[in-house]
């Protein structure tokens, strides 16, 4: 639509978006792939352009080129994390893909509650890899509390990792907008959340649930400091940003860290088929070792 027609219809004139040149975009894509495994295709050019444009306007860099040269030549780790935040997507929600939580209740916690277990100790270790702002690991903690009838006999340790500065910070605080809990049953909200004094629109995960979750910053492409085995690993809606080779390498590393018989989940729109890994499917987007 021509700009004068937009004006005639009463729309404000939009500022023309900054468009990255093909060279700039491939420089960004190379950095993102080498450091974080992100596979940015040309489809992402307008998204990356608009995020970068608003960052450049606020940050005081003269141009995209000067920002990219700074990153390449003397960008600190902190500069790189700011750049990662510009490129990554943190969309998440509580009890996302409910079928995964139902599966854990039915196939993992119910047998444990009945004493039907081959676990050597009384600890259950779970890893939420790419946990974003924490909805996923806190949902896993609530799911465990709700599903285990003999909860007090178990120590449940949930490791929640993400690379994004802002996501890790939010996950640690465990404070959310009330709207984010609209789809969560009231009974669960009452049991596991509490009001934030002076902030009527916000709500915080209870101390009990937060105490089960340890949040840490981790680039999945780096070496991992923690040791296995985990009983459950969730890496959902993270590997969609990686290419096939990176995805396969990562899945094999998850496989190594999982206890035999353990459960691995990817996002509901993802699959491991075609990756040739030793995982065995148990239901859509869920696997066992
Ligand atoms: C769309 S969110 C998924 C959140 C959650 N797992 C869910 O399904 O609701 C993807 C997350 O992956 C994280 N991520 C992407 N690449 C990563 C990497 N190389 N290392 C660690 N985290 C990464 C992003 O920061 C983002 O928070």
């Amino acid at each position: 639509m021509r700009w004068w027609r937009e004006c005639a219809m009463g729309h404000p004139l939009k500022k023309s978006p900054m468009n990255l040149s093909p060279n700039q975009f491939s420089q960004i894509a190379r950095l993102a792939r080498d450091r974080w495994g992100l596979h940015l295709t040309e489809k992402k050019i307008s998204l990356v352009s608009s995020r970068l444009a608003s960052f450049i306007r606020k940050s005081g860099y003269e141009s995209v080129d000067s920002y990219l040269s700074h990153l390449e030549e003397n960008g600190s780790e902190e500069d790189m994390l700011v750049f990662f935040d510009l490129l990554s997507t943190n969309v998440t929600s509580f009890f996302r893909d409910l079928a995964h939580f139902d599966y854990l209740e039915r196939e993992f916690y119910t047998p444990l509650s009945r004493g039907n277990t081959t676990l050597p100790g009384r600890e259950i270790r779970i890893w939420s890899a790419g946990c974003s702002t924490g909805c996923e690991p806190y949902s896993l903690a609530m799911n465990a509390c709700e599903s285990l009838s003999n909860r007090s006999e178990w120590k449940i340790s949930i490791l929640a990792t993400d690379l994004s500065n802002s996501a890790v910070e939010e996950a640690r605080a465990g404070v959310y907008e009330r709207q984010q809990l609209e789809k969560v049953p009231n009974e669960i909200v009452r049991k596991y959340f509490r009001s934030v004094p002076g902030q009527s629109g916000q709500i915080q995960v209870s101390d009990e649930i937060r105490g089960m979750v340890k949040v840490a910053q981790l680039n999945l492409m780096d070496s991992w400091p923690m040791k296995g085995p985990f009983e459950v690993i969730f890496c959902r809606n993270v590997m969609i940003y990686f290419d096939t080779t990176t995805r396969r390498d990562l899945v094999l590393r998850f496989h190594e860290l999982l206890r035999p018989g353990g459960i691995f989940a990817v996002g509901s729109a993802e699959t491991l088929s075609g990756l040739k890994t030793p995982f065995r499917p148990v239901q859509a987007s869920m696997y066992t070792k």
Side-chain angles (χ1 to χ4, degrees):
M1 181 184 287
R2 296 276 191 189
W3 64 267
W4 57 83
R5 261 184 249 151
E6 280 196 18
C7 282
M9 289 166 69
H11 294 299
L13 259 182
K14 280 190 204 122
K15 247 185 157 182
S16 65
M18 170 196 80
N19 260 328
L20 291 166
S21 71
N23 272 350
Q24 289 168 330
F25 186 72
S26 39
Q27 195 180 348
I28 290 169
R30 183 171 38 76
L31 267 171
R33 189 199 55 225
D34 293 351
R35 289 206 156 228
W36 309 304
L38 299 179
H39 178 57
L40 298 179
T41 62
E42 301 277 315
K43 280 190 216 149
K44 289 276 163 70
I45 201 160
S46 65
L47 177 78
V48 176
S49 297
S50 74
R51 286 186 180 178
L52 221 59
S54 72
F55 173 74
I56 300 280
R57 264 198 303 278
K58 288 181 215 146
S59 64
Y61 286 97
E62 261 173 33
S63 62
V64 173
D65 283 331
S66 62
Y67 178 51
L68 293 178
S69 317
H70 166 73
L71 288 180
E72 297 250 44
E73 284 153 28
N74 46 14
S76 64
E77 209 37 55
E78 204 43 44
D79 289 332
M80 285 299 173
L81 288 175
V82 171
F83 183 48
F84 176 78
D85 260 0
L86 289 175
L87 302 179
S88 68
T89 303
N90 299 137
V91 177
T92 187
S93 55
F94 284 100
F95 297 98
R96 184 179 195 178
D97 301 334
L98 211 51
H100 292 163
F101 297 94
D102 285 343
Y103 182 88
L104 287 184
E105 177 180 10
R106 198 176 61 241
E107 305 293 336
F108 180 62
Y109 293 117
T110 303
L112 282 188
S113 300
R114 291 188 183 136
N116 188 358
T117 172
T118 53
L119 294 187
R122 301 302 280 177
E123 184 177 7
I124 298 168
R125 296 183 71 218
I126 300 177
W127 181 14
S128 164
C131 66
S132 187
T133 56
C135 299
E136 182 176 277
Y138 292 132
S139 300
L140 283 163
M142 291 181 257
N143 175 239
C145 290
E146 287 295 295
S147 309
L148 270 173
S149 60
N150 50 356
R151 159 82 185 88
S152 59
E153 293 169 24
W154 292 94
K155 176 170 190 248
I156 298 160
S157 312
I158 300 172
L159 173 67
T161 65
D162 203 285
L163 180 60
S164 159
N165 270 339
S166 58
V168 164
E169 206 178 298
E170 277 187 56
R172 283 199 176 120
V175 175
Y176 300 92
E177 299 297 322
R178 277 182 188 274
Q179 291 154 332
Q180 290 178 261
L181 291 157
E182 262 166 9
K183 291 190 186 147
V184 179
N186 283 337
E187 186 202 333
I188 299 292
V189 177
R190 270 197 302 274
K191 221 162 154 182
Y192 300 115
F193 289 83
R194 59 166 186 223
S195 303
V196 180
Q199 304 287 329
S200 62
Q202 298 195 317
I203 194 158
Q204 186 175 36
V205 179
S206 70
D207 288 346
E208 181 201 0
I209 294 296
R210 279 203 300 154
M212 293 162 66
V213 176
K214 180 174 176 254
V215 182
Q217 194 159 31
L218 177 73
N219 179 358
L220 289 171
M221 297 301 118
D222 288 348
S223 59
W224 299 341
M226 64 279 189
K227 301 245 178 313
F230 288 93
E231 275 65 56
V232 176
I233 299 180
F234 272 34
C235 184
R236 307 185 307 162
N237 309 298
V238 178
M239 292 185 285
I240 39 173
Y241 304 106
F242 302 160
D243 65 20
T244 309
T245 314
T246 311
R247 225 181 293 156
R248 181 168 189 277
D249 291 349
L250 201 52
V251 171
L252 292 177
R253 292 172 76 194
F254 287 131
H255 187 270
E256 230 168 79
L257 235 56
L258 202 64
R259 184 184 298 286
I263 297 158
F264 178 59
V266 294
S268 60
E270 299 171 79
T271 174
L272 301 188
S273 77
L275 289 186
K276 297 204 175 76
T277 74
F279 275 119
R280 187 169 60 78
V282 285
Q283 75 171 34
S285 59
M286 292 195 93
Y287 301 84
T288 187
K289 174 168 173 175

